[in-house]
Amino acid sequence: MSSTTLPPSAAPLTRWRQYTALTKPRVIQLIVFCALIGMLLAVPGVPGQHELGLALAASVGIGLVASAAAAFNCLIEQHIDVRMKRTAWRPTARGDLSRGQALLFSAGLGGAGMVLLHQAVNPLTAWLTLGTFVGYAVVYTVILKPLTPQNIVIGGASGAMPPLLGWTAMTGEVSPEAVGLFLIIFLWTPPHFWALALYRAEDYARAGLPMLPVTHGSEFTRLQILLYTIVLVPATLLPFIQGLSGLPYLFAALVLGALFIARAWKLWRGYSELLARKTFRFSIWHLSLLFGALLIDHYLRPWL
């Protein structure tokens, strides 16, 4: 999943806030939310005391490893963050935290999260979470992001893992329903991120990153946003097709999908920074409301 940022602060951050900023808290909140949705959907009916304890341990463990990946990303991209207005405020970019401090912080968070997941949840979830860390922090950040404009498409697999991790945490297995949830976020990520990249294209060009608007231009990127959004809508219907959800979710998915396509269509027909910003912000609401509707549907179904 792509990062949203806090506004830069002219005053130095406190040490606590410096370390907190490395974890990209807003992104972590969305990751844990999506993982929690996967956990709750995997449990028939209202979760009992055991399921709630398992979900709490899994949420904390996944959050810790995701925070470690975010901190490692800040460490690896320190030289890039310095050149971008969007990220120049980060503690590693400003020099408030050294590379050694960031590395130790990332290792501590990741190690604690892995131990918790392996011991209190199950080994499958622990290893899949470790694979997600490697996919984002190494494969995406180190290899894909600086080399190919398709970085967010390929690397988006790591960002799409949270609901699948949540599902495996509760069931100990990867099911077709979990893969369906993964596919939704995988297809959602490119239009979400490219909308951001459109109005940050100068930043990415300055940093030397081959993001799609930089390498292929605004018009091509806007077309890709529209096409991916159109493909995304059928994917959002998978939970209904698989029997994981009912009519309330189906209605919500169709409405949210139509609104997303309408914004992507408008952006494609005529670019403005305001439209790109609105599309990016709506994409966050789209995913949050979609998964929220999935959860509400899950608990409404016994009475429908």
Side-chain angles (χ1 to χ4, degrees):
M1 270 181 247
S2 77
S3 64
T4 53
T5 58
L6 298 170
S9 174
L13 301 174
T14 64
R15 185 64 75 187
W16 168 257
R17 291 184 63 196
Q18 287 169 0
Y19 280 111
T20 301
L22 288 186
T23 67
K24 305 179 183 179
R26 293 184 182 180
V27 178
I28 301 305
Q29 289 172 12
L30 187 58
I31 288 172
V32 174
F33 170 73
C34 291
L36 183 60
I37 294 296
M39 296 175 209
L40 296 175
L41 291 175
V43 178
V46 179
Q49 185 175 354
H50 172 72
E51 288 83 7
L52 288 174
L54 194 60
L56 177 60
S59 296
V60 174
I62 291 169
L64 286 172
V65 177
S67 296
F72 190 78
N73 172 267
C74 290
L75 168 65
I76 295 299
E77 295 193 337
Q78 180 184 25
H79 64 293
I80 295 173
D81 290 343
V82 171
R83 300 198 295 265
M84 297 180 64
K85 294 179 182 179
R86 185 174 69 90
T87 56
W89 67 276
R90 288 177 178 166
T92 42
R94 290 167 52 126
D96 296 332
L97 293 174
S98 69
R99 295 177 64 84
Q101 287 173 315
L103 181 60
L104 285 174
F105 181 60
S106 175
L109 290 177
M114 282 296 297
V115 170
L116 180 60
L117 290 171
H118 193 277
Q119 298 300 318
V121 183
N122 58 63
L124 176 61
T125 302
W127 290 117
L128 286 175
T129 304
L130 178 61
T132 302
F133 174 93
V134 173
Y136 174 73
V138 180
V139 177
Y140 169 69
T141 301
V142 179
I143 301 174
L144 295 174
K145 191 171 181 179
L147 294 180
T148 171
Q150 292 299 311
N151 46 29
I152 198 61
V153 177
I154 306 169
S158 296
M161 286 294 289
L164 188 147
L165 296 176
W167 190 284
T168 62
M170 306 305 288
T171 66
E173 62 180 16
V174 178
S175 71
E177 292 86 354
V179 174
L181 297 176
F182 165 88
L183 186 60
I184 290 172
I185 301 183
F186 180 74
L187 292 173
W188 169 88
T189 300
H192 161 75
F193 188 85
W194 285 332
L196 168 69
L198 276 172
Y199 65 87
R200 295 293 189 183
E202 291 184 7
D203 246 4
Y204 286 118
R206 189 181 305 112
L209 294 174
M211 296 303 174
L212 199 63
V214 177
T215 61
H216 289 69
S218 172
E219 185 175 355
F220 181 82
T221 302
R222 289 170 4 236
L223 176 60
Q224 295 304 303
I225 290 174
L226 176 61
L227 294 177
Y228 266 91
T229 305
I230 292 172
V231 173
L232 169 64
V233 174
T236 64
L237 306 184
L238 280 174
F240 177 77
I241 296 170
Q242 294 172 324
L244 185 62
S245 66
L247 290 175
Y249 169 77
L250 176 63
F251 176 76
L254 290 173
V255 170
L256 289 169
L259 291 174
F260 202 171
I261 289 176
R263 280 163 174 74
W265 174 268
K266 191 173 182 180
L267 182 63
W268 175 60
R269 292 297 301 273
Y271 175 77
S272 74
E273 181 176 322
L274 180 60
L275 276 176
R277 287 179 180 274
K278 285 184 176 181
T279 304
F280 171 72
R281 289 168 184 162
F282 178 79
S283 69
I284 299 174
W285 279 108
H286 173 271
L287 187 66
S288 301
L289 293 174
L290 187 77
F291 274 52
L294 196 54
L295 186 60
I296 292 172
D297 180 284
H298 179 68
Y299 292 113
L300 283 179
R301 291 188 74 187
W303 291 276
L304 294 178

